[in-house]
Amino acid sequence: MKQEERRQKTIELLLQTVKKLIAEKGCESITMKHIMEESGLSKGAIFHYVDSKEELFAKVLEERLDQINERFVRKVQENGDDAIGPMSQITAGLPEIEKGDEITNRVIAYLVGRAGLPAVNEILRRFYEASVLRSVSWIEAGQRKGVLSSKIDAAKTSELFVLISFGIRIRSVIGESVNLNHSFRSADYAALMGDLLGIKFEKGEQ
């Protein structure tokens, strides 16, 4: 097995392991010992790729962004000059950010609770910036194809979308312990995205 292939398989094993443990135990309770026992990897093998469980959590966030981007790019290639199809790949996942037990939400809430630690701050900064940049790339792709208005400020609109999604994610986790009445839901968020981008989603495409 080539070195790069071995690396990819090990990272994939670590990601599947840590996501399983998060679902079972929560971020706070997971230790490197748990990860070693569940994955069957030695401490040395794990630390060859990451220095801490927080770095593994960062990779979970990166994987989520990559998955959404891959679906968007694939839909762009399939749909040509249609903006609704590709953007529906983004809005289709919005109901997930309302779930307090969703893995990404749990990871973000855990990391935010440790904001102030340099390593954690760096992880959060990277994820936030990557989220904004991905959104910018999606909007600019639509503008290049002429299916989104060139008047849209891609940077400001993208950051607004990320701010809203982060807020909903944190609210979903808070909602597990506090009885909150939510008047702004994922469907409202999808509708707002459509309004700002000049796209009219049909029912079921949000």
Side-chain angles (χ1 to χ4, degrees):
M1 185 184 297
K2 294 182 180 179
Q3 184 174 353
E4 179 59 24
E5 185 180 353
R6 184 182 300 109
R7 175 183 175 280
Q8 290 296 331
K9 286 185 176 296
T10 302
I11 291 295
E12 183 178 345
L13 173 60
L14 285 170
L15 284 172
Q16 294 305 315
T17 297
V18 78
K19 285 188 290 186
K20 181 175 184 290
L21 289 170
I22 290 171
E24 294 175 351
K25 301 176 181 294
C27 296
E28 295 81 0
S29 302
I30 298 173
T31 65
M32 293 305 287
K33 183 179 179 181
H34 290 140
I35 296 170
M36 290 166 58
E37 292 174 347
E38 185 68 32
S39 67
L41 295 171
S42 68
K43 186 175 181 178
I46 294 173
F47 278 94
H48 181 70
Y49 297 101
V50 295
D51 294 328
S52 65
K53 72 175 186 179
E54 283 77 17
E55 281 196 32
L56 274 173
F57 292 164
K59 290 188 179 299
V60 169
L61 297 181
E62 291 167 6
E63 179 189 50
R64 178 63 175 162
L65 273 182
D66 288 341
Q67 289 171 344
I68 296 171
N69 189 61
E70 287 169 8
R71 292 200 301 268
F72 176 86
V73 171
R74 184 165 58 248
K75 206 66 176 178
V76 167
Q77 294 170 343
E78 293 174 358
N79 287 49
D81 294 333
D82 173 33
I84 295 178
M87 289 309 300
S88 69
Q89 297 303 300
I90 310 302
T91 58
L94 293 182
E96 290 295 311
I97 72 176
E98 291 192 274
K99 299 177 181 178
D101 60 352
E102 198 269 332
I103 297 297
T104 305
N105 294 348
R106 297 178 77 167
V107 169
I108 291 174
Y110 169 83
L111 293 173
V112 168
R114 282 149 186 76
L117 298 175
V120 172
N121 280 351
E122 178 61 18
I123 291 170
L124 287 169
R125 183 193 64 79
R126 288 203 315 265
F127 180 63
Y128 184 87
E129 290 185 352
S131 299
V132 173
L133 288 174
R134 283 289 171 84
S135 183
V136 168
S137 72
W138 298 332
I139 292 174
E140 289 182 341
Q143 290 175 322
R144 285 194 298 273
K145 284 181 170 289
V147 295
L148 293 181
S149 171
S150 60
K151 295 181 179 179
I152 296 172
D153 188 318
K156 287 185 178 180
T157 304
S158 294
E159 186 157 18
L160 174 62
F161 290 161
V162 173
L163 285 169
I164 294 173
S165 66
F166 266 57
I168 294 176
R169 287 183 184 281
I170 295 299
R171 185 187 69 181
S172 73
V173 177
I174 294 172
E176 291 187 332
S177 57
V178 180
N179 185 21
L180 296 176
N181 292 318
H182 302 158
S183 58
F184 187 84
R185 307 303 298 262
S186 60
D188 300 305
Y189 182 21
L192 175 63
M193 291 177 70
D195 288 343
L196 293 175
L197 297 176
I199 298 173
K200 185 173 177 57
F201 291 109
E202 296 296 331
K203 188 174 181 180
E205 291 182 316
Q206 297 179 12

